[in-house]
Amino acid sequence: MNTVAVIGGSLAGLSAARSLRGQGYEGRLVVVGEEIHRPYDRPPLSKEFLKGTLPEEDLYLEAEDDELDAEWLLGTKATGLDLRDRSIRLSDGRDLAVDGVVVATGAAARHLPGGWGMTGVHVVRTLDDARALQDDLARGGRLVVVGGGFVGAEVASTARELGLDVTFVVSGPAPLSGALGPAMAATLAPLHADHGVRVLSGTGVQGVTGTPASVGVPARVQAVQLADGRSIPADIVVVGIGASPHTDWLLGSGVELDDGVRCWSDGTTNIPEVVAVGDCAAWYEPALGRHRRVEHWTGANERPATAVAALLSGGTAQLPPPKPPYFWSEQYGVRIQFAGHAARADSVTIEDGSEEDRSFVAVYRSAGQPVAVLGVNRAKLFTRWRKQLAAAAVGVGTA
């Protein structure tokens, strides 16, 4: 390969570029990034950065010893892929000739009906998103957080620490129920109420309403309308209802798509010269027996090495299956760590510590075999269980 393009300039793209050089690729390396920013860390955007305890310069990921010899095309989007002439169309009108492609275009935050462009309604996906929300939170007022995932829970925790009045609207039975399962999510749900956050569970959201827009003045949010007919007053709304993969630019290219770029367990696609990593990539998960997007920092950091090895070898390299997904979160001073697949479990038990103290390790099992582990303020023991899960995953095999 003479030219490899990494499409996406965030963590997954940077990790792919590092892996290409680290695995001996010496050809032309081009990184195309839609944002104007150099690669930066996203997890702190809803925590330390939003709170103002982490300066912006500390978000950036490149190290002084990164010698990538790469061409960075920032503020530029890929708009199409033509496999016949092996070229990528760019938003600035150029065509980029390539021999190999790493797709790392990430995902875009979903919005609520009526909220697009309305002042006071935010998502937290990019640095610019976090800057805008930080400015709004500094004004104080009533915050409504919509969506029971990690972004929503972390923003609720951060905003409460900043002194805002916070209401947390969750469609499921409790915050984090999708990630942790209903039992453990219910165990951690009182964290919010204990810190003065009002949690409304089991209700959907129809949209947001606000002041009418006028010439030169956009509409400003005033309330969140719930599916059960209630209206929750809001000066600020944060929407954390998931993300859609950035794959529209691949439509018609021949690359197979299915809630992201459909990949095997090494990141390869149906096109030998194309691999995909990060939030836009639906890798085959042997433990689940299906394809699934993993939208977590660790996957974006680790999996590109596997995908790059597959790309450079033409798919002939014998590679281990991906490690079980891992993520962590910090809420109200409590560290929550999780590895594995909660959906596979038929039981979950506390192995050490206690729920009352909010310091425990819980193990999820399927037919008696561990398939996931949750650690709450028990980092050392959690790490031991996580290593066991990773070792067991190697025996699952690939597909």
Side-chain angles (χ1 to χ4, degrees):
M1 292 185 178
N2 294 316
T3 300
V4 173
V6 176
I7 310 301
S10 194
L11 173 63
L14 176 62
S15 298
R18 285 171 170 164
S19 295
L20 281 159
R21 293 307 191 204
Q23 295 181 33
Y25 173 70
E26 297 179 349
R28 184 188 182 201
L29 173 57
V30 183
V31 182
V32 178
E34 181 176 354
E35 293 187 64
I36 62 172
H37 308 294
R38 303 290 290 195
Y40 60 87
D41 214 8
R42 295 185 190 275
L45 297 181
S46 55
K47 300 187 286 289
E48 301 96 329
F49 177 77
L50 191 61
K51 190 164 52 179
T53 59
L54 183 73
E56 185 172 313
E57 57 266 25
D58 289 350
L59 291 173
Y60 292 97
L61 292 167
E62 292 170 278
E64 290 183 3
D65 59 353
D66 275 334
E67 297 180 0
L68 300 179
D69 188 25
E71 300 172 38
W72 291 83
L73 305 181
L74 299 178
T76 305
K77 291 175 59 175
T79 60
L81 172 63
D82 190 331
L83 292 170
R84 291 169 299 179
D85 61 7
R86 294 190 176 188
S87 67
I88 296 171
R89 293 187 297 279
L90 302 178
S91 57
D92 61 10
R94 285 181 290 176
D95 285 339
L96 177 63
V98 295
D99 302 300
V101 181
V102 181
V103 180
T105 40
R110 298 189 179 106
H111 289 259
L112 288 173
W116 184 267
M118 183 179 287
T119 302
V121 179
H122 301 267
V123 296
V124 186
R125 189 79 191 178
T126 68
L127 176 56
D128 292 338
D129 292 337
R131 286 171 174 168
L133 176 58
Q134 191 180 56
D135 290 343
D136 240 4
L137 293 181
R139 298 183 177 94
R142 299 163 298 181
L143 169 68
V144 176
V145 178
V146 179
F150 281 95
V151 170
E154 289 169 358
V155 169
S157 170
T158 301
R160 189 69 193 117
E161 189 172 342
L162 292 173
L164 277 80
D165 176 278
V166 181
T167 300
F168 194 6
V169 181
V170 181
S171 61
L176 308 184
S177 57
L180 306 182
M184 289 297 101
T187 296
L188 293 177
L191 260 177
H192 299 282
D194 289 352
H195 289 82
V197 173
R198 180 188 182 199
V199 179
L200 304 180
S201 299
T203 182
V205 172
Q206 286 188 328
V208 296
T209 58
T211 60
S214 59
V215 178
V217 180
R220 175 85 199 189
V221 68
Q222 289 184 314
V224 174
Q225 303 298 321
L226 304 186
D228 60 13
R230 285 179 291 174
S231 178
I232 309 300
D235 303 301
I236 309 167
V237 174
V238 174
V239 182
I241 55 174
S244 302
H246 268 310
T247 55
D248 288 353
W249 68 284
L250 292 170
L251 292 172
S253 68
V255 176
E256 190 173 358
L257 305 176
D258 182 10
D259 186 32
V261 180
R262 188 178 175 88
C263 304
W264 299 113
S265 56
D266 57 1
T268 54
T269 70
N270 62 312
I271 306 299
E273 299 82 14
V274 179
V275 297
V277 295
D279 294 359
C280 68
W283 282 38
Y284 181 80
E285 299 283 346
L288 296 177
R290 61 181 174 85
H291 296 261
R292 177 173 178 258
R293 289 193 302 117
V294 175
E295 299 181 61
H296 301 304
W297 188 96
T298 304
N301 186 52
E302 294 179 346
R303 292 190 176 192
T306 298
V308 163
L311 177 67
L312 296 179
S313 70
T316 62
Q318 295 298 310
L319 301 167
K323 295 179 182 179
Y326 164 75
F327 54 83
W328 68 273
S329 180
E330 195 88 32
Q331 299 167 31
Y332 310 103
V334 175
R335 186 174 180 85
I336 301 167
Q337 296 171 280
F338 186 87
H341 302 279
R344 292 184 60 203
D346 53 37
S347 68
V348 56
T349 57
I350 303 295
E351 300 286 319
D352 186 80
S354 70
E355 299 177 21
E356 293 77 16
D357 296 334
R358 295 204 177 104
S359 177
F360 62 88
V361 167
V363 178
Y364 300 66
R365 291 181 170 87
S366 176
Q369 296 301 310
V371 294
V373 60
L374 167 67
V376 179
N377 282 341
R378 287 292 177 101
K380 189 174 292 185
L381 182 57
F382 169 85
T383 299
R384 290 204 292 268
W385 275 102
R386 182 188 174 197
K387 288 179 179 177
Q388 292 182 41
L389 289 177
V394 174
V396 173
T398 60

